[in-house]
Amino acid sequence: MLLNQIDSPADLKKLSIFQLETLAEEIRGFLIEKLSKTGGHLAPNLGVVELTIALHYLFDSPNDKFIFDVGHQSYVHKILTGRKDRFDTLRKYKGLCGFVKMSESEHDVWEAGHSSTSLSAAMGMAIARDLKGEQNKIVAVIGDGALTGGMALEAMNHIGHERKNLMVVLNDNEMSIAPNVGALHNYLSKIRTDKHYAKAKEEVEHLLKKIPAIGGTLAKTAERLKDSLKYLVVSGVWFEELGFKYFGPVDGHNLPQLFETFKQAEKVNGPVLIHVITVKGKGYSPAEEDSHTWHGGGPYKIESGQFIKAVGPPMYTEVFSNSLIELAEQDERIVAVTPAMPGGSGLLKFAELYPDRMIDVGIAEQHAATLCAALALEGMKPVYAVYSTFMQRAYDQIVHDICRQNTNVIFAIDRAGFVGADGETHQGVYDIAFMRSIPNMVMMMPKDENELRHMMKTAVDYNEGPIAVRYPRMNGVGVKMDEEAKPIPIGSWETVRDGEGFAILAAGPQMLELAFGAAELLKSEGIQPRIVNARFLKPLDEQMLMNLYEDGYNILTLEEGTVKGGFGGAVLEFYAERDIYGVRVKPVGIPDYFVEHGSPKEQRQEVGLTPERVVTELKTMLPRKRQRA
Ligand SMILES: Cc1ncc(C[n+]2csc(CCOP(=O)(O)OP(=O)(O)O)c2C)c(N)n1
Ligand SMILES: CC(=O)[C@@H](O)[C@H](O)COP(=O)(O)O
Ligand SMILES: [Mg+2]
């Protein structure tokens, strides 16, 4: 196996083109085999095997810097840079990260996980390089999906104007996670597919070369003719107009073509964009045929192409999906908006039933948020279906457009809490902190899948402004679903277990399970904490908080979110604002650091979201006297 001879990019340079092509197939086999055990982003990585080999063969990493947009397609880069032996630990606790990770290798020069940052990073590195008088190459690899992210256009605008020497490799496989959308995607399709386009381009370029260099007005006309003809047929003209020299489209699985194109591009002084056409999932037919499903996933059986799925109650995403459909049947104002995640956010069934009411805006969280504000102002009921982590992209639009104008936008925040294998760039652990501080925002989190359905009903019936429901990336707890979805009084908590002396205010199913686990441990010691389903993170249940104070309870809050600015802080603020200092409040949640990949259970263990920790914290609180008879 040639792959066994590759421990660094330098080893590539010893191979012939034929051997490199053999190596590509060996890497495909390696990825298919390893990821069948670990899961991961198979289809994106199968699509960039030759491209990544070409980059490492032609350039000199880490002196030349490769910046992978999102970074989910960096497994081949990791294989070629000395990490192939760690693939059994891919996305596992303390194992190989599923994204670029500087602490793993000197070849990893820029980390991501969220899309569309690579061009800004490349520009920053190019400016620094030039200020330092260095000469290295900077290469950003960005997908056609990531190119729809607003940041990418901001960066292209800057790069094209400053004309810095850098290379943008556009990995165009026509897919985001789902099929790509938007005018830019249509433009790329035109360049990619129009054979006539390519033929005409050749003929006109040949013709243009024949126009002799002549003087006088005729020369000006000839130049104008050249420009307008070039505009008509030269592909990539949009990029050229933005200041990039465009190369392509080139077959991203053809090493000789890639080599030739990169060598041509290297000669250009200024920004270049190389349009590489790849097949997402190349080399494994289930992934080629359905690269949406195979964008990312768990372990699978290679032969059958079947994922090995854990059996259990429906995921919260599925309950959200069914509830949205049930509500949309009754209310035609409901529209769903997703920033490029129709599958992950559970909107595929809804889209089939209501194609006109499912809006996929591409990777454009900011645009999605402001779009929802306008939809709401016009009397629609927009449901912004978004992962907690990706919603971070739209913070200003949530403040400035949705909340300040007090619009009836419903936030369906999925992946709230620890997400597991995607790790620190994807943890859904900041939304409580950053949403609860915005005026007019209402924020809910259900104790189980049945309450999620009631919360969706609550959200649709609510007409006083923005309202959010957040739910985790996990199966439901397996409770029976009520006959009918009913609205929950805004700001009302629910005591789910009576007790004395201590009250545990738990937000969400993971934390309620933790609270009951702690109560179990305390039973033998005769301590019985009251357990409260703190299902509204904003507004708080102020009456209950006053009663807990007056009845002499000490309070421990539990949230799978950062304690900095989180739910526990809101409870502390409540008492402090009323000059009530006798009650002990202990916020327990995620400490102030980024929690890396692993399973959610391992992540909770690492940060001390365990029954044992809760028991320890409760025992530090001495019981208080009742403040009322
Ligand atoms: C800001 C942000 N929104 C959404 C996502 C989820 N996401 C991860 S990869 C991806 C699609 C990327 O498509 P593309 O750039 O074409 O890469 P490909 O997977 O096709 O190689 C999306 C939407 C993300 N990582 N970051
Ligand atoms: C790379 C990326 O951001 C997405 O592919 C993300 O990994 C999807 O997460 P889920 O697996 O939770 O849908
Ligand atoms: Mg793509």
Side-chain angles (χ1 to χ4, degrees), residues 41 43-45 48 69-70 72-73 99 113-116 142-147 171-178 180 278 280 295 339-341 362-365 387 389-390 393 426:
H41 289 92
N45 284 282
V48 295
D69 202 287
V70 182
H72 64 312
Q73 79 297 52
F99 300 93
H114 287 196
S115 81
S116 319
I142 184 168
D144 55 309
L147 197 62
N171 171 32
D172 181 4
N173 54 24
E174 303 182 70
M175 295 295 286
S176 188
I177 294 183
N180 205 353
T278 62
K280 196 164 182 175
H295 168 84
M341 308 285 286
I363 306 180
E365 285 83 5
Y387 289 15
T389 189
F390 301 137
R393 259 296 148 86
H426 286 62

Side-chain angles (χ1 to χ4, degrees), residues 90-353:
L90 180 65
R91 295 158 40 100
K92 302 239 177 293
Y93 191 64
K94 303 297 179 203
L96 197 62
C97 178
F99 300 93
V100 175
K101 188 85 187 143
M102 286 188 271
S103 60
E104 285 180 8
S105 166
E106 60 176 351
H107 294 277
D108 290 17
V109 297
W110 177 260
E111 298 182 1
H114 287 196
S115 81
S116 319
T117 65
S118 62
L119 303 191
S120 304
M123 182 59 172
M125 290 181 186
I127 293 171
R129 173 200 59 200
D130 295 351
L131 288 172
K132 292 185 287 183
E134 292 166 358
Q135 299 296 320
N136 55 299
K137 302 274 188 314
I138 292 162
V139 183
V141 179
I142 184 168
D144 55 309
L147 197 62
T148 63
M151 278 188 70
L153 183 60
E154 291 170 16
M156 287 183 73
N157 183 46
H158 186 202
I159 294 166
H161 179 256
E162 298 293 329
R163 309 192 66 75
K164 285 289 175 190
N165 271 334
L166 59 86
M167 190 177 279
V168 174
V169 178
L170 171 56
N171 171 32
D172 181 4
N173 54 24
E174 303 182 70
M175 295 295 286
S176 188
I177 294 183
N180 205 353
V181 296
L184 189 52
H185 166 67
N186 298 339
Y187 172 65
L188 293 176
S189 301
K190 190 171 150 194
I191 299 177
R192 195 175 33 238
T193 52
D194 185 336
K195 294 290 168 279
H196 163 72
Y197 204 65
K199 187 85 191 82
K201 172 189 162 193
E202 258 169 54
E203 286 162 5
V204 169
E205 284 181 333
H206 184 64
L207 171 72
L208 291 178
K209 285 197 184 91
K210 282 201 162 168
I211 294 177
I214 39 184
T217 46
L218 195 55
K220 283 199 183 60
T221 313
E223 270 315 303
R224 274 201 296 278
L225 175 66
K226 262 181 152 183
D227 281 350
S228 50
L229 278 171
K230 171 179 156 189
Y231 191 87
L232 279 176
V233 292
V234 166
S235 48
V237 71
W238 184 72
F239 298 108
E240 300 251 337
E241 290 302 295
L242 284 180
F244 289 75
K245 177 76 183 115
Y246 172 89
F247 288 84
V250 60
D251 176 354
H253 303 296
N254 182 318
L255 280 170
Q257 261 194 42
L258 285 170
F259 285 4
E260 178 51 33
T261 306
F262 278 118
K263 282 183 185 137
Q264 288 302 320
E266 258 200 291
K267 295 174 194 156
V268 171
N269 187 23
V272 298
L273 184 133
I274 300 168
H275 185 188
V276 177
I277 310 297
T278 62
V279 174
K280 196 164 182 175
K282 175 107 180 151
Y284 182 56
S285 48
E288 279 193 38
E289 285 152 24
D290 179 7
S291 62
H292 185 174
T293 304
W294 287 85
H295 168 84
Y300 53 88
K301 290 194 177 359
I302 297 172
E303 303 66 37
S304 65
Q306 294 301 313
F307 285 101
I308 300 161
K309 279 197 177 22
V311 183
M315 298 280 284
Y316 281 91
T317 308
E318 185 184 341
V319 174
F320 156 71
S321 170
N322 296 336
S323 164
L324 183 68
I325 289 167
E326 176 186 35
L327 291 161
E329 278 162 4
Q330 311 302 325
D331 188 337
E332 58 189 22
R333 297 174 302 161
I334 292 174
V335 289
V337 177
T338 173
M341 308 285 286
S345 296
L347 292 174
L348 295 178
K349 223 162 60 176
F350 180 89
E352 270 175 38
L353 292 167

Side-chain angles (χ1 to χ4, degrees), residues 391-468:
M391 187 172 70
Q392 291 163 190
R393 259 296 148 86
Y395 188 63
D396 182 56
Q397 289 74 17
I398 294 168
V399 174
H400 180 266
D401 302 322
I402 293 177
C403 292
R404 194 189 47 77
Q405 297 185 106
N406 203 27
T407 57
N408 293 335
V409 173
I410 297 168
F411 292 83
I413 305 172
D414 201 335
R415 277 53 173 191
F418 283 132
V419 295
D422 274 339
E424 58 192 289
T425 52
H426 286 62
Q427 305 291 21
V429 297
Y430 305 109
D431 63 276
I432 297 174
F434 72 74
M435 295 282 266
R436 76 172 186 88
S437 52
I438 312 172
N440 301 333
M441 176 60 75
V442 169
M443 198 165 201
M444 306 179 276
M445 183 166 200
K447 67 181 177 188
D448 57 36
E449 59 271 36
N450 181 50
E451 194 167 64
L452 171 57
R453 182 162 161 251
H454 293 312
M455 286 187 170
M456 284 303 296
K457 172 68 176 162
T458 306
V460 168
D461 286 1
Y462 182 74
N463 291 307
E464 310 303 316
I467 184 166

Side-chain angles (χ1 to χ4, degrees), residues 7-116:
D7 292 317
S8 81
D11 297 328
L12 277 181
K13 301 182 197 266
K14 303 168 194 159
L15 300 183
S16 70
I17 190 85
F18 172 74
Q19 287 174 314
L20 291 171
E21 285 167 345
T22 305
L23 175 66
E25 288 322 302
E26 289 181 7
I27 289 174
R28 277 201 171 82
F30 176 90
L31 286 170
I32 293 165
E33 201 275 323
K34 291 293 180 186
L35 269 66
S36 71
K37 307 263 188 326
T38 62
H41 289 92
L42 181 65
N45 284 282
L46 288 174
V48 295
V49 175
E50 288 83 5
L51 173 58
T52 312
I53 288 174
L55 288 173
H56 276 293
Y57 184 85
L58 293 168
F59 296 100
D60 175 28
S61 170
N63 183 47
D64 294 336
K65 298 177 188 293
F66 298 151
I67 300 163
F68 291 92
D69 202 287
V70 182
H72 64 312
Q73 79 297 52
S74 61
Y75 299 0
V76 183
H77 164 74
K78 293 194 176 200
I79 290 167
L80 298 177
T81 52
R83 288 168 274 182
K84 62 179 179 295
D85 298 335
R86 296 196 59 200
F87 267 76
D88 294 323
T89 70
L90 180 65
R91 295 158 40 100
K92 302 239 177 293
Y93 191 64
K94 303 297 179 203
L96 197 62
C97 178
F99 300 93
V100 175
K101 188 85 187 143
M102 286 188 271
S103 60
E104 285 180 8
S105 166
E106 60 176 351
H107 294 277
D108 290 17
V109 297
W110 177 260
E111 298 182 1
H114 287 196
S115 81
S116 319

Side-chain angles (χ1 to χ4, degrees), residues 512-553:
L512 280 159
E513 184 186 351
L514 175 50
F516 277 97
E520 204 48 41
L521 294 177
L522 286 163
K523 245 185 198 160
S524 57
E525 304 187 38
I527 301 174
Q528 290 305 303
R530 178 170 170 180
I531 299 176
V532 172
N533 167 23
R535 57 192 177 184
F536 281 84
L537 299 153
K538 185 177 186 182
L540 303 176
D541 186 328
E542 300 190 352
Q543 190 52 59
M544 187 184 285
L545 286 172
M546 286 311 292
N547 294 346
L548 288 171
Y549 162 63
E550 285 154 6
D551 295 342
Y553 283 85

